């Protein structure tokens, strides 16, 4: 069999029929080079958001099974249109839903995990010389219920197919031509990163970089699937994400990111004894709310403040929950702040270099930016600061680590 490549085209790459025709041409150019192609597509433009809105017009809490039934239709539209666009150019192509190509998942609707892929049908069609087009973001349970794989889940479909078909590479086509040292809209001299490790990309994705779904990077790392993030509007080489190499470690910091989408909640005067934090965070977790950073001050009296961050969209829900629990545990007050931003530096080189945090703090200090919270991992340092200073913080840190040079 020919060399297999899996390509994924995101929503912006197939936003309208002209863009779909453009994608079809790109696919044919690969076909002419002799590759067997499996193509995963997302829904057109903002279709998924629009479908979710429709559901919410009907009810605030739609059944998750029905929600999956609804949003999975977005990708069914784009695969069919893309197949037609390829036919029009005189080539053979066939489109499939996730269920049709045996993408079997568990039953966790809206966040399903892929359990197994039966590649038989895909391989048959590839042998006939057809371009195989698969609807991203969706699967099916062993009971024939349609599921989806979480927002941005077409990335996961692509990586899972690349693994199952032993593809040479998984190319992710998007509207930017790679991963940059910072958002070029904030930092004009940001540079494209040509090679990065899975770990770094996972951190960046988790920190809110919209480029790839974090879960898909995790899966790529687990099965060592090389990813190439590149633009669907040019032929330029993008960013290759692969296993960490020695040379990567020489670069101390790879990128700076910012997330302006979080809010901070503080529970004041919480009594400082075993079991209290467990109680608070169990209560929040039970409501399905994800916590990001947490800090607890040492107490000089018998009480302390606990602060933590959540996604902005979860703020109202979290406040309701926290107010209820704070009464039970005898806290005096709960406050929140929406005007925060989280700036982070990421780099595999941090494992072997010291002093990175100090340099980051120095860069913020020079701009008189106050740090409200700090969290670190082996390859990441994040600071919560005032939202107003977010962009200038990113530029200062980018300069400090000479990432534009
Ligand atoms: N269309 C889905 C979403 O918007 C899946 C994807 O784009 O990857 O989340
Ligand atoms: Mg999308």
């Amino acid at each position: 069999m020919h060399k297999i490549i899996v390509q994924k085209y995101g929503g912006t790459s197939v936003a309208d029929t002209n863009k779909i025709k453009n994608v079809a041409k790109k696919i044919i150019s690969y076909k002419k080079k002799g590759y067997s192609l499996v193509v995963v597509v997302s829904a057109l433009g903002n279709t998924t958001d629009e479908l979710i809105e429709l559901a919410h017009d009907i009810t605030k809490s739609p059944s998750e099974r029905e929600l999956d039934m609804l949003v999975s239709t977005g990708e069914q539209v784009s695969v069919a249109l893309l197949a037609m666009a390829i036919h029009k150019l005189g080539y053979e192509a066939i489109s499939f839903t996730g269920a049709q190509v045996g993408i079997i998942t568990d039953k966790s609707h809206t966040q399903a995990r892929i359990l197994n892929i039966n590649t038989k049908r895909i391989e048959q069609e590839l042998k006939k010389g057809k371009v195989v087009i698969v609807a991203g973001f969706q699967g099916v349970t062993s009971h024939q219920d349609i599921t989806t794989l979480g927002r941005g889940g077409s990335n996961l479909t692509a990586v899972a197919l690349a693994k199952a078909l032993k593809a040479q590479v998984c190319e992710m086509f998007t509207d930017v031509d790679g991963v940059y040292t910072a958002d070029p809209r904030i930092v004009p001299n940001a540079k494209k990163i040509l090679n990065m490790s899975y770990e770094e990309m996972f951190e960046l994705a988790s920190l809110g970089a919209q480029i790839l779904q974090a879960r898909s990077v995790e899966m790529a790392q687990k099965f060592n699937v090389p990813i190439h993030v590149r633009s669907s509007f040019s032929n330029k080489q993008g960013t290759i994400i692969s296993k960490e190499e020695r040379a990567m470690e020489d670069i101390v910091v790879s990128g700076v990111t910012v997330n302006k989408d979080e809010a901070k909640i503080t529970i004041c005067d919480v009594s400082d004894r075993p079991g209290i934090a467990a109680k608070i965070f169990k209560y929040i977790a039970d409501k399905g709310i994800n916590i990001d950073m947490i800090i607890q001050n040492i107490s000089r009296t018998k009480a302390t403040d606990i602060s933590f961050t959540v996604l902005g969209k979860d703020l109202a829900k979290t406040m309701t929950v926290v107010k209820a629990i704070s009464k039970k545990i005898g806290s005096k007050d709960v406050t929140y702040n929406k005007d925060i931003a989280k700036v982070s530096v990421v780099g595999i080189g941090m494992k072997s270099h010291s002093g990175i945090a100090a340099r980051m703090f120095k860069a913020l200090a020079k701009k008189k930016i106050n740090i409200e919270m700090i969290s670190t991992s082996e390859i990441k340092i994040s600071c919560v600061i005032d939202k107003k200073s977010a962009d200038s913080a990113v530029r200062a840190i980018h300069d400090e680590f000479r990432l534009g040079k």
Side-chain angles (χ1 to χ4, degrees), residues 296-308:
Q296 178 183 326
N297 293 328
I298 40 165
S299 62
R300 294 182 186 281
T301 56
K302 284 268 177 289
T304 181
D305 292 352
I306 296 181
S307 296
F308 58 91

Side-chain angles (χ1 to χ4, degrees), residues 181-340:
T181 51
D183 184 340
R185 287 168 300 187
I186 301 175
V187 184
N189 68 340
K191 276 177 53 183
K192 197 198 295 181
I193 304 170
L194 295 176
N195 287 284
M196 70 193 305
S197 63
Y198 293 117
E199 275 173 286
E200 287 170 307
M201 191 63 226
F202 179 75
E203 287 286 3
L204 288 175
S206 309
L207 291 166
Q210 295 285 317
I211 301 169
L212 291 177
Q213 183 203 39
R215 274 176 68 192
S216 72
V217 182
E218 206 174 16
M219 182 184 276
Q221 174 167 22
K222 188 164 164 203
F223 299 111
N224 207 6
V225 175
I227 295 180
H228 187 175
V229 177
R230 57 195 311 188
S231 165
S232 55
F233 308 112
S234 82
N235 289 318
K236 266 193 259 171
Q237 148 114 34
T239 301
I240 303 209
I241 300 154
S242 59
K243 221 164 44 191
E244 167 188 351
E245 280 172 30
R246 272 223 144 293
M248 289 181 181
E249 275 184 48
D250 294 339
I251 303 164
V252 183
V253 163
S254 300
V256 188
T257 59
V258 60
N259 185 340
K260 298 175 187 171
D261 220 25
E262 288 190 19
K264 182 173 93 172
I265 295 176
T266 301
I267 311 176
C268 308
D269 286 327
V270 180
S271 89
D272 191 17
R273 56 188 162 79
I276 292 288
K279 229 185 223 157
I280 296 173
F281 291 106
K282 161 128 190 1
Y283 209 68
I284 297 172
D286 285 348
K287 300 283 175 201
I289 298 165
N290 267 322
I291 302 279
D292 184 19
M293 292 166 130
I294 302 175
I295 53 167
Q296 178 183 326
N297 293 328
I298 40 165
S299 62
R300 294 182 186 281
T301 56
K302 284 268 177 289
T304 181
D305 292 352
I306 296 181
S307 296
F308 58 91
T309 62
V310 292
L311 285 178
K313 73 168 173 61
D314 289 337
L315 176 62
K317 187 160 113 183
T318 314
M319 281 301 282
T320 312
V321 174
V322 170
K323 276 188 183 149
I325 179 91
S326 76
K327 282 215 186 79
K328 285 191 204 163
I329 58 173
S331 130
K332 298 216 174 66
D333 200 8
V334 183
T335 61
Y336 69 87
N337 183 359
K338 281 197 285 194
D339 299 317
I340 60 160

Side-chain angles (χ1 to χ4, degrees), residues 8 10-12 42-49 75 137 151-154:
K8 177 255 174 180
T12 49
S42 296
L44 273 63
N46 296 323
T47 304
T48 309
D49 290 325
E75 273 72 10
F137 176 52
R151 296 307 304 269
S154 300

Side-chain angles (χ1 to χ4, degrees), residues 336-395:
Y336 69 87
N337 183 359
K338 281 197 285 194
D339 299 317
I340 60 160
K342 182 174 73 175
V343 282
S344 312
V345 295
V346 171
I348 204 94
M350 282 185 211
K351 286 184 187 175
S352 48
H353 289 75
S354 56
I356 312 301
R359 282 176 72 186
M360 181 180 186
F361 302 159
K362 184 183 81 186
L364 294 173
K366 267 200 213 154
K367 295 276 171 202
K368 303 214 164 12
I369 297 168
N370 189 39
I371 301 171
E372 294 177 30
M373 297 169 105
I374 300 166
S375 85
T376 64
S377 79
E378 214 185 6
I379 64 160
K380 175 206 78 178
I381 303 162
S382 299
C383 295
V384 168
I385 59 169
D386 185 7
K387 197 183 259 175
K388 281 201 298 288
S389 311
D391 291 359
S392 100
V394 173
R395 284 190 286 268

Side-chain angles (χ1 to χ4, degrees), residues 391-404:
D391 291 359
S392 100
V394 173
R395 284 190 286 268
I397 296 165
H398 196 265
D399 278 353
E400 169 62 35
F401 292 101
R402 300 176 184 285
L403 297 178

Side-chain angles (χ1 to χ4, degrees), residues 4-21:
I4 299 177
I5 292 187
V6 173
Q7 298 187 330
K8 177 255 174 180
Y9 292 89
T12 49
S13 304
V14 294
D16 55 45
T17 47
N18 274 329
K19 292 203 171 119
I20 292 174
K21 290 177 192 170

